[in-house]
């Protein structure tokens, strides 16, 4: 059974940092692109970042570029999202998502990506991140 288990989030002040993790099981982690997406209150899904199977390629949404860093440890079957210089606008539920297809960046093209739709791939349970001003 495919599982993506995310770490707990939390409440941080503006300018603070937080690292999210996404531990996977039930599939060959090193064969799949991984995404982080988020959903702010009352808004739709927003793609945040993606990383290739070996971690050699990273893509970021413009709104997080330079502040967030995606990474993965294929030995530990875990993906990470390091978030620095957090702003209240970053408040959202964050999800890690596995691409539906092995060795493909199904939702990426030309150096950018879109959020996988709900029901596509496999999703973590979500982590609430709240940034206070």
């Amino acid at each position: 059974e495919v599982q993506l288990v995310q770490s707990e989030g939390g409440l941080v002040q503006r300018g603070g940092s937080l690292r999210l993790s996404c531990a996977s099981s039930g599939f060959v982690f090193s064969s799949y692109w991984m995404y982080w997406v988020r959903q702010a209150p009352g808004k739709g899904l927003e793609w945040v970042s993606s990383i290739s199977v070996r971690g050699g390629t990273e893509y970021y949404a413009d709104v997080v570029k330079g502040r967030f860093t995606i990474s993965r440890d294929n030995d530990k079957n875990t993906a990470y999202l390091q978030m620095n210089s957090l702003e209240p606008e970053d408040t959202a539920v964050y999800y890690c998502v596995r691409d539906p297809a092995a060795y493909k960046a199904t939702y990426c093209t030309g150096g950018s990506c879109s959020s996988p739709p709900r029901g596509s791939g496999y999703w973590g349970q979500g982590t609430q991140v709240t940034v206070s001003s």
Side-chain angles (χ1 to χ4, degrees):
E1 179 189 7
V2 173
Q3 285 193 317
L4 298 174
V5 179
Q6 297 180 219
S7 58
E8 293 187 1
L11 172 65
V12 297
Q13 291 187 333
R14 167 181 262 147
S17 297
L18 197 62
R19 188 175 84 152
L20 306 181
S21 65
C22 173
S24 73
S25 62
F27 65 99
V28 182
F29 179 72
S30 58
S31 298
Y32 290 86
W33 279 68
M34 296 296 294
Y35 303 76
W36 286 95
V37 303
R38 67 187 183 185
Q39 187 165 27
K43 297 190 175 181
L45 293 170
E46 178 185 27
W47 168 71
V48 174
S49 184
S50 304
I51 189 166
S52 59
V53 297
R54 290 191 177 91
T57 300
E58 303 167 16
Y59 297 139
Y60 297 93
D62 286 344
V63 292
V64 305
K65 202 172 293 184
R67 299 188 299 124
F68 290 12
T69 303
I70 193 172
S71 63
R72 66 190 297 158
D73 185 334
N74 286 347
D75 291 333
K76 296 182 178 178
N77 297 330
T78 301
Y80 303 95
L81 185 68
Q82 176 68 44
M83 304 183 292
N84 298 329
S85 302
L86 283 161
E87 295 287 339
E89 293 74 24
D90 296 316
T91 294
V93 177
Y94 285 72
Y95 298 93
C96 66
V97 186
R98 195 206 80 177
D99 198 285
Y103 299 105
K104 287 189 176 182
T106 302
Y107 297 99
C108 300
T109 183
S112 185
C113 309
S114 58
S115 171
R118 286 285 195 177
S120 177
Y122 288 88
W123 291 62
Q125 82 275 20
T127 296
Q128 176 68 51
V129 173
T130 303
V131 184
S132 66
S133 56

